[in-house]
Amino acid sequence: MEFTEWIRGRTDEQLRALVSARPELITPVPAHLEGLAVRAGSPSAIGRALDRLDRFTLAVLETLAVAETRATAAAHAETAHANAAHAETALAETQPVRPEPITKAALRELIRGALATGKPEPALSTALDHLRDLALVYGPDTALGLAPGVRKVLDDPAGLGPPAVEAFRHHAPEQLEEMADDIAPGTKGSGKERLAAALIHPGKLIEEVSPEARAALDQLTWGPPTGRVPNARREVRIASARSPIDQLLARGLLAATGEESVALPREVGLHLRNGLVHRDLYAVPPALEGATRDQKLADRTAAGQAFTFVRTVEELCERWSAEPPGVLRTGGLGVRDLKRTATELDVPEWAAALTVEVAHAAGLIAAGGSVDGEWLPTTGYDLWRIRPTADRWAALAVTWLHTDRVPGLVGERDDRDRPLNALHTDLRRSSAPAVRSAALGVLASAPGLAPTRASVFDRLAWEQPRRRGPLREQLTEFALREAEQVGVTGLGVLSGHGRALLAGEDAASVLAPLLPEPVDHVLLQADLTAVAPGPLTSELNRWMTLAADVESKGGATVYRFGEGSIRRALDAGQGAEELLAMLERHSATPVPQALSYLVADVARRHGRIRVGTASAYVRCDDPALLDQITADRRSAALRLRRLAPTVIASRSSRAALVDGLRAMGYAPVAESLDGDVIISQLDKRRTEGLPPARSVPPPNGLDAEVTAAAVRALRAGDAAHLTRREPADAPDGQIPRGPATATISALQEAIRQGVRVWIGYLDSQGNATSRILEPARMEGGYLTAYDETRAAVHRFALHRITGVADLS
């Protein structure tokens, strides 16, 4: 049975399973099933499918590929021998001998010998079913076959070298004749055919070589099957072979593939392996090792960290509202800005980079602001901030799970030895989302277990052996570390809400009952500090961050009021009475007298000095205060000039002048050109950013409705494709034709009933084609319909439709 016919014979359910497991096959949707079969056999599509196989399933596929190659080689050798015999008797050449089909029973025996422990079943049957679902293997158990292109993509399966006919393809024909005369004298056929036939059973040749040569073969037996040697000669003969390598080259046990490279032919490698393709094979994944944790404790720990991560992102956005860092010319966030952010958030630099990257990927911060650019919160941040905490975390966690940016690379150096900054475009790695999902999937397979890093790496290497490599291990390490920081895991165990996140379910509803209840009060103390006995409500936390500085975090956050923090609140437009009223309303203890005096004193001095734009000027109703400023030596850097008793001009900018005067101990405020005080409203410092975090995609990457629609389109397109070859609904294979009035009536009826029709259509060159359509509407001389043969919506000119036929 041909592969295309096998695909065509699959049920709709089996086709849906195929395109769900291999979504690249319908991107875009092929025109028909024959096109699907061709795409399924393309090297890129096969490579992606192989990357998804676990070690045992891949071993089954490799074993089948090797067995198929051996059967084909044996058939070729038999055909060549028969042709050579017939040539001597002047008979016509025989028909090519067909290779014996590979059965499941034969495959089972090969797998049985390779297993370290256990039996092949039921793992073998499960693996074959999975390979059929992926269209990598087709046919019944009595005649298994590889899909087209699979053998070529596998290249050197299980560390075996190329078959002899490929290994010696660069040798000259006369060299192959000489080698064949040496190792298989008296045989008939071409040199390559005789050599390949002799190597099917190379035991006698191996016995002839020296122990040193046999040791070289043993080194190549289980891979890699290639090696480098100086002066790998192709023309060496057995009689003149002296060195161990020359002995092997002369007997065809090694093939010279280059001037300094050799390869072990596959037939020789299989003989050295006693006919086995693999060794020490396991049909089940390796067990995870680690510490057992109480699942409820892990859930509570993860929930606490999830709450902390949300508050950290919120604090980052609020701080960048007030003091946004600049955008580097090359893009990204400066090293100093990242260190300052880490200090302000009281987290390690890698955690600060993670917070920044997730906030940016979630659309909460973006580049904007001045000409040089600043990193500012977006308008989306204000919408995110008012949502429930569990929903806010879910948006951040979804973003982290599916972003292709790798915050863990911040601080490392690229190929040009340049540092990788946070928010830089070079942090993208396309494999990062898949690695995160795979790492969490390993944790999900062992509830209540905190597995060791080594056991996680071993499990991932078994689940996807073709994707092993230093980068994958590094990304896995990052994923496990970041999962703990984000709150997906707790104590190394995947949490309940983390499991819901991975499955694409409502993680927020799972997390919500575990979150601590926020409190709406603080405890004011006489030393100008305030203690929050628990997580504050979002609005109170935001106000406290504005009016006080965080002194320490932990079970209870400690805030400290100072002149700078009170002035920050006054700059934001709040008055002294509002500040004290807010404190009285949200304090479980009376407002200390020292704090009342501090607020009143700062408010009394606040705004007496006004700074505007000249470049900048200073205005004050008290000339004595301006005399004091000009007499201060520290004002020299501001380049002040007295214009009037109550006005001083400066060559500095308004912002620099305000900062300079505050550094000298004064409390100036900026004013506009109209003389009004400029209030630092944090909500006004916003920029446009990315859209909010996308929803969780289905686990297989495609929605069930999409796969169902794709299969319907493939079936319809295939029906049209076969119809074009031999139309059955029209005489003499012609496309539908009929009067215009009958065509319009038929289309109107199809629209009313919502059924598909088969139409004839003339293209722009006047060529007649047939289409299978699902009509939607007719207006303005055009028919709008879903063209199932092309899987797209098109408009068709009514005057070009030659006729309509009922598809049923």
Side-chain angles (χ1 to χ4, degrees), residues 659-718:
D659 292 340
L661 292 175
R662 286 178 176 173
M664 294 167 59
Y666 299 98
V669 295
E671 71 176 13
S672 66
L673 295 176
D674 298 327
D676 298 325
V677 175
I678 298 177
I679 297 176
S680 302
Q681 293 185 6
L682 302 183
D683 292 351
K684 288 188 176 180
R685 304 208 69 179
R686 294 291 183 264
T687 186
E688 295 298 326
L690 299 172
R694 60 185 178 182
S695 58
V696 182
N700 59 15
L702 286 179
D703 186 85
E705 295 182 0
V706 174
T707 59
V711 170
R712 287 198 302 269
L714 285 168
R715 289 292 190 194
D718 200 55

Side-chain angles (χ1 to χ4, degrees), residues 690-747:
L690 299 172
R694 60 185 178 182
S695 58
V696 182
N700 59 15
L702 286 179
D703 186 85
E705 295 182 0
V706 174
T707 59
V711 170
R712 287 198 302 269
L714 285 168
R715 289 292 190 194
D718 200 55
H721 180 63
L722 296 176
T723 302
R724 284 198 295 270
R725 292 178 177 177
E726 188 178 354
D729 294 337
D732 301 326
Q734 299 299 315
I735 63 174
R737 295 184 181 275
T741 55
T743 297
I744 298 298
S745 299
L747 290 175

Side-chain angles (χ1 to χ4, degrees), residues 439-616:
L440 294 182
V442 171
L443 300 185
S445 66
L449 181 70
T452 62
R453 293 289 192 268
S455 64
V456 172
F457 292 153
D458 291 342
R459 174 65 70 87
L460 289 176
W462 188 90
E463 289 183 349
Q464 295 178 332
R466 283 173 54 94
R467 291 183 176 178
R468 297 181 61 181
L471 176 61
R472 183 173 178 82
E473 290 192 0
Q474 185 184 40
L475 294 180
T476 302
E477 184 70 37
F478 291 156
L480 296 175
R481 181 179 68 176
E482 293 168 1
E484 197 79 15
Q485 185 71 18
V486 174
V488 176
T489 61
L491 304 176
V493 177
L494 184 67
S495 63
H497 49 275
R499 192 180 301 275
L501 172 73
L502 184 63
E505 299 171 356
D506 185 7
S509 61
V510 180
L511 173 64
L514 301 173
L515 292 175
E517 282 294 330
V519 297
D520 62 350
H521 65 275
V522 295
L523 305 176
L524 296 177
Q525 303 185 102
D527 60 350
L528 299 181
T529 61
V531 179
L536 300 177
T537 61
S538 181
E539 287 302 320
L540 181 56
N541 177 71
R542 193 164 183 250
W543 186 88
M544 288 296 297
T545 304
L546 175 66
D549 297 318
V550 177
E551 191 169 80
S552 65
K553 295 181 179 180
T557 304
V558 178
Y559 298 88
R560 178 167 293 279
F561 294 95
E563 183 176 334
S565 65
I566 297 298
R567 185 175 61 237
R568 188 167 61 232
L570 295 174
D571 286 343
Q574 300 197 23
E577 294 181 357
E578 292 178 79
L579 287 173
L580 293 174
M582 187 73 171
L583 290 171
E584 290 175 355
R585 186 163 59 251
H586 291 286
S587 175
T589 58
V591 179
Q593 191 176 44
L595 181 55
S596 299
Y597 285 165
L598 176 64
V599 172
D601 181 60
V602 175
R604 177 180 56 82
R605 294 184 290 114
H606 183 263
R608 293 182 62 192
I609 299 176
R610 303 290 187 91
V611 177
T613 302
S615 289

Side-chain angles (χ1 to χ4, degrees), residues 214-273:
R214 178 57 192 266
L217 288 179
D218 291 340
Q219 290 182 355
L220 301 176
T221 297
W222 291 101
T226 59
R228 298 185 64 83
V229 296
N231 300 322
R233 298 184 298 162
R234 296 177 180 171
E235 65 279 0
V236 63
R237 303 292 297 272
I238 291 180
S240 60
R242 296 293 180 266
S243 68
I245 299 300
D246 284 349
Q247 294 177 32
L248 299 174
L249 290 172
R251 290 169 173 80
L253 299 177
L254 282 183
T257 55
E259 295 182 357
E260 295 185 351
S261 60
V262 294
L264 183 70
R266 182 172 300 178
E267 294 84 349
V268 179
L270 284 171
H271 178 83
L272 294 172
R273 296 183 182 188

